[in-house]
Structure formats: structure tokens, C-alpha cells
Amino acid sequence: MFITSSNNEHIKEINKLKEKKYRDKTNTFLIEGKHIVLEAYKEGLVKELILEQDELFPLNCPTTYVTKEILKKLSSMESYSKIMAVTEKIKEKPFGEKLLILDDIQDPGNMGTIIRSACAFGIDTIVLSPKTVDLYNPKVIRSTQGMLFHINIIVREIVPFIKELKKDNYKIIGTKVTDGNDVRSSKIYSHYALVIGNEGQGISMEVKDLCSEYLYIRMNEQVESLNVAVATSILLYELYNK
Amino acid sequence: MFITSSNNEHIKEINKLKEKKYRDKTNTFLIEGKHIVLEAYKEGLVKELILEQDELFPLNCPTTYVTKEILKKLSSMESYSKIMAVTEKIKEKPFGEKLLILDDIQDPGNMGTIIRSACAFGIDTIVLSPKTVDLYNPKVIRSTQGMLFHINIIVREIVPFIKELKKDNYKIIGTKVTDGNDVRSSKIYSHYALVIGNEGQGISMEVKDLCSEYLYIRMNEQVESLNVAVATSILLYELYNK
């Protein structure tokens, strides 16, 4: 199929995937760039490949050829990609022993960067609170650098979920600027969940009360805090390299 | 002074500070938000305070009151700030013993986050290559969370600068995915410069050849790389916590 008009109904449908409600309705999302499309393809999630008319990218799936103008319309970047795809959302899998819980992270760049670091440092499942920024937001996806297909990601109400984890003897680890343990000298746990709070407020009081240990990162006392993706990555790095 | 029209010449001049060439021409830049304006004020850099008409924020400097519409026009954020300021650029100071060299970092968010982490982990001077994203870009400033007033930042041609450092016995530390030393077991140096390359290409061959040690971060081998601000922060964290 070759489409030249951006008013084409099929293109209009695809363009709607920029909005969360259509991603939720169709259970699909839009990705762009060769690297990430290949990652999605390997996972069997590509439903439709969208290519610039002369582009060669022979994958075994339905392919729509379009003009540069249409790709520019569909792209969420200033520089468009010649390769895009409509992709099925990732299926939830059972969670394992090393969890990262994100309690209302709001910035898409932070979220994507955290996913990338979680893959690098051996987390098997990321748990998102329902109010966390949408995993399928184009900027989140771009910041993951394709890593979102390499980790299990589930959405849960955090408080009841943590209560269940505690019954199963998971260590629930929070963060605190004071009164905590230096992550450098923290213990090794076979089952744990590291809980990271939102950029502005940190973790909620209710979640804080459920933690059995609090970690901090030793740094210059004149500095109030690190970027949340940086802080999370350093904690994960330390827990991984024990 | 109370200005109600966004066509006012003075407001037009201030609005031009969104562009690098006007920031360079006037040696000033625009900041927004109470926290960062206070940080700039403490450093004696605020030239003009811009407040929403009813806002109380009594600092001892020239103040212009404006309408909400004008603040929205001047703001680089979707949600505007009631407090903005025209600020002098930071003056370069002599550099010390612990340097971070950024070789063409392009993303403003990464750059701001790195500045924040450098403050947290005891770097005294950040050296920017001339092609690095402009330090006074609004998104860089926002991402530093006010920390850009707490660290010395200088702009230099990297290659000749590193050659000079070597003469003064600074250890020049690069990064490499393979063939390097695990940062966890790296040595302590009294004088060093950690060199971080651009998001896409890493450090240039020429700079690589000038390094006397290469560090890597131990992680899951399936993951190609970390976000550059995260990687830099982990390296600085390790060098600080030796």
C-alpha cells in the first residue's frame, strides 16, 4: 500500500496514537527509527511497518509506504524517521526477585532513562503506579533506547502491591536524604523492591512507612538532591555491583 | 516600572534572550522561578527582576512589574513563573584539581543534569568544548536546578587544553566499553580530568589518544550503553566516594 495524502483515513488513525487514550483503546503505540523497530520486530510486536516510499527494510509484516510529509506528520521528533511502526503494547509477565517500583514519576525523559538503567543493572521487573507518565509516550520510548522491550513492566496500585511483596519476604527499600544507610555499605538481598518517588514530592508517607530500609547516596552536603533518573541509576548500580 | 503590553520595546529586548546570539551579545540570560532567581541573586548576578504585577519578592535590584501574559510570553515553560530575572553570565574562575570535560554534549537536559551531579560529587570546574550545547539555554538552566551558580564552568578548545593539563600532571581519564578499568577498582588521583564524549559518537579519536586511563561501568552485557548523564554521574560518584 502506498499512501500520499496525510488526510487518508488510515494515516489519521495512526496519527491518533500520539494520544494516550487511543493507545489505550487500540492497545498499540507508534515507534520510530530503525533500531527500535528492529527491537520490537524481534519481540513479534510489530503490527504494521510504515516506510518512506523508497526505503528498503524487508521485514515479514504488513507494510505501508508513505511520503516524507506523512512521516513528518506522524513523527514526534523535529527530524523525522524514514522507518516507523505501529506496535502492540508489551504484555505483562510474572515478576521475579529484583523489582523497581516507580511511584508517580512524571517526566518522560527521566522515565525512559530509568528503564534503560534498570536493564543495565539487572532489574527484572519495573512496577509503575497508575499515575506514572504513560510508558508509551513517544519521549519515554525514545529515552529507553529500545530497552523497553528487554524488561518486564507492569502497572499496579503501589500500596497493596507492596503489602503483598512484604508477605513474600521481599525487602522494601526506600530512599531518604537523612537517617538512612549509605547505599555503599548496604546489604545484599535475594528479593527486593527499590521504591522511587516522584520528582517533586519523593515517595508518599504511606509508602515510606512500608519500607524496611532507607538508602542514601553520599554526596556534597551543599547539594540538595540529584536528578531522579541519576539517583535511581546510582542506587541500582550499587545494588547490582555488590 | 509596570509594563502591560508585550509589544513594549523593553519586553521585546528581554524576549530576544531566548536566542543564543542575543545572550552572547548582551552577556546576559533569562532565568525563571523563585529558587533559581534567589541563587543568582546571592551571587550578585541579577540585573533586573521581572515580577507579576501583584507578586511580592523584595530584592534590592531594579524591578519591572508585568502582566501574566508577558510572563507567559517570556517563559520557556508551558506553566509560566511569576518570578523571572535577567541575569549576568557567570564569570570564569581559575580551575582547580578535579575537572570534568564535556566534549560536545548536545542534549540540554543531559547537560543540566551533569552539572547538577558534578556539584554533588565534588568537581570544581566543568570544561565545555565550544560546540557543547549553550550553557544558558533555558532547558539546561532548568535541569541544573540552580546548581550552575555553584560550580566553575569554562569554555575551551579541548585538545590544546588537555595537552596543557598533561604538562601539569593531571591524570586524563576517558571512558571505554571494553579494554578499560572497572571504575569500582580505579585508583585515587589528586589531579584529574574526566572526559565525557558526545551522546552519539563518544569522545573523539584525538581526545581518546590523550587519555592515560579508561574507565568502564560494570553492567549487564546485553545493554549497549547508559544515558550519558547517568554514566557521567556514576563515574563521578565513584571517583568522589573513593
Side-chain angles (χ1 to χ4, degrees):
Chain A
M1 184 160 52
F2 177 44
I3 299 176
T4 56
S5 162
S6 58
N7 289 321
N8 175 288
E9 284 305 319
H10 186 58
I11 297 301
K12 280 189 191 165
E13 286 298 313
I14 295 172
N15 198 42
K16 283 184 185 166
L17 295 178
K18 285 181 184 162
E19 292 170 53
K20 181 175 187 299
K21 68 175 177 184
Y22 286 97
R23 296 195 291 264
D24 288 347
K25 195 175 155 189
T26 59
N27 209 35
T28 62
F29 64 111
L30 200 52
I31 55 178
E32 46 190 307
K34 189 173 180 172
H35 176 69
I36 191 162
V37 170
L38 269 178
E39 297 282 347
Y41 183 76
K42 279 190 240 161
E43 299 295 314
L45 294 172
V46 172
K47 281 190 74 175
E48 178 181 350
L49 196 60
I50 305 158
L51 299 181
E52 189 167 351
Q53 51 202 99
D54 302 325
E55 190 68 18
L56 284 174
F57 196 61
L59 298 184
N60 184 21
C61 58
T63 302
T64 304
Y65 293 90
V66 300
T67 59
K68 184 174 167 177
E69 286 62 43
I70 292 177
L71 285 162
K72 279 187 176 170
K73 177 181 171 158
L74 295 178
S75 175
S76 62
M77 297 193 289
E78 281 176 42
S79 59
Y80 79 107
S81 302
K82 294 180 175 201
I83 298 169
M84 299 184 76
V86 176
T87 306
E88 280 174 53
K89 284 193 185 180
I90 302 158
K91 287 175 189 67
E92 291 194 357
K93 294 178 198 126
F95 58 86
E97 296 171 354
K98 296 187 195 316
L99 312 184
L100 173 65
I101 299 179
L102 302 181
D103 188 6
D104 295 0
I105 292 288
Q106 289 308 304
D107 180 83
N110 284 340
M111 168 90 155
T113 299
I114 290 173
I115 293 171
R116 196 172 164 191
S117 293
C119 286
F121 298 128
I123 289 294
D124 60 64
T125 299
I126 300 178
V127 186
L128 309 178
S129 65
K131 282 189 196 154
T132 298
V133 54
D134 186 34
L135 175 59
Y136 300 101
N137 172 310
K139 198 169 171 208
V140 172
I141 296 169
R142 207 154 58 238
S143 305
T144 68
Q145 292 278 317
M147 285 302 127
L148 87 160
F149 298 113
H150 295 280
I151 194 163
N152 184 30
I153 303 179
I154 66 180
V155 180
R156 293 288 186 282
E157 288 289 350
I158 298 300
V159 171
F161 183 75
I162 292 178
K163 285 180 179 164
E164 287 303 313
L165 288 179
K166 283 174 80 98
K167 283 185 199 157
D168 291 336
N169 290 319
Y170 278 75
K171 189 85 182 173
I172 310 301
I173 307 172
T175 59
K176 257 190 188 175
V177 178
T178 50
D179 275 351
N181 299 323
D182 184 343
V183 60
R184 211 147 176 99
S185 48
S186 72
K187 297 191 200 96
I188 302 172
Y189 299 110
S190 61
H191 291 57
Y192 69 77
L194 174 67
V195 190
I196 301 293
N198 150 297
E199 288 89 346
Q201 278 80 45
I203 47 181
S204 67
M205 280 310 293
E206 201 179 359
V207 170
K208 217 167 236 173
D209 288 344
L210 291 169
C211 294
S212 44
E213 181 174 1
Y214 306 92
L215 298 178
Y216 73 85
I217 295 166
R218 199 174 79 85
M219 59 185 182
N220 179 344
E221 283 166 16
Q222 315 248 301
V223 177
E224 280 169 38
S225 65
L226 296 163
N227 163 280
V228 69
V230 165
T232 306
S233 301
I234 291 176
L235 294 169
L236 294 177
Y237 162 79
E238 280 286 4
L239 294 169
Y240 179 74
N241 282 292
K242 291 240 163 262
Chain B
M1 184 159 55
F2 177 44
I3 299 177
T4 56
S5 162
S6 58
N7 288 322
N8 176 288
E9 285 305 318
H10 186 59
I11 297 301
K12 280 189 190 165
E13 286 298 313
I14 295 172
N15 198 41
K16 282 184 185 166
L17 295 177
K18 284 181 183 163
E19 291 170 54
K20 182 175 185 301
K21 67 174 176 183
Y22 286 98
R23 295 193 292 262
D24 289 348
K25 196 175 154 188
T26 58
N27 209 36
T28 61
F29 64 111
L30 200 52
I31 55 178
E32 46 190 308
K34 189 174 181 173
H35 176 70
I36 191 163
V37 169
L38 268 178
E39 297 281 347
Y41 183 75
K42 279 189 243 163
E43 299 295 314
L45 296 172
V46 172
K47 281 190 73 176
E48 177 181 350
L49 197 59
I50 306 158
L51 299 181
E52 189 167 353
Q53 51 202 100
D54 302 324
E55 191 69 16
L56 285 174
F57 196 60
L59 298 184
N60 183 20
C61 59
T63 301
T64 303
Y65 292 90
V66 300
T67 59
K68 184 174 167 177
E69 286 62 43
I70 292 178
L71 285 162
K72 279 188 175 169
K73 177 181 172 157
L74 296 177
S75 175
S76 63
M77 297 193 289
E78 281 177 41
S79 60
Y80 79 106
S81 301
K82 294 179 175 204
I83 299 169
M84 298 185 77
V86 176
T87 306
E88 279 175 53
K89 285 194 185 180
I90 302 158
K91 287 176 189 68
E92 292 195 357
K93 295 178 199 125
F95 58 87
E97 297 172 354
K98 297 186 194 318
L99 312 184
L100 174 65
I101 299 177
L102 303 181
D103 189 6
D104 295 0
I105 292 287
Q106 291 308 305
D107 181 82
N110 284 340
M111 167 90 154
T113 300
I114 289 173
I115 293 172
R116 195 172 165 192
S117 293
C119 287
F121 299 128
I123 289 294
D124 60 65
T125 299
I126 300 178
V127 186
L128 310 179
S129 65
K131 282 190 196 152
T132 298
V133 55
D134 184 34
L135 175 60
Y136 300 101
N137 172 310
K139 201 172 168 206
V140 172
I141 296 169
R142 207 155 58 239
S143 305
T144 68
Q145 292 277 317
M147 286 301 127
L148 87 159
F149 298 113
H150 296 279
I151 195 164
N152 184 30
I153 304 179
I154 65 181
V155 180
R156 292 288 186 279
E157 287 289 349
I158 298 301
V159 171
F161 183 75
I162 292 178
K163 285 179 181 166
E164 288 302 314
L165 288 179
K166 283 174 81 97
K167 284 184 197 157
D168 291 335
N169 289 319
Y170 279 74
K171 189 85 183 174
I172 311 300
I173 307 172
T175 58
K176 256 189 188 175
V177 179
T178 50
D179 275 350
N181 299 323
D182 185 342
V183 61
R184 208 143 179 103
S185 48
S186 73
K187 297 190 200 97
I188 302 173
Y189 299 111
S190 60
H191 292 56
Y192 68 78
L194 174 67
V195 190
I196 300 293
N198 150 296
E199 289 89 345
Q201 277 81 45
I203 47 182
S204 67
M205 280 310 293
E206 201 179 359
V207 171
K208 217 168 237 172
D209 287 344
L210 292 169
C211 295
S212 45
E213 181 174 1
Y214 305 94
L215 298 178
Y216 72 85
I217 295 166
R218 201 175 78 84
M219 59 185 184
N220 180 343
E221 283 166 15
Q222 315 249 300
V223 176
E224 281 169 38
S225 65
L226 295 163
N227 163 280
V228 70
V230 164
T232 306
S233 301
I234 291 175
L235 294 169
L236 294 178
Y237 162 80
E238 280 285 4
L239 293 169
Y240 179 75
N241 282 291
K242 291 239 163 265

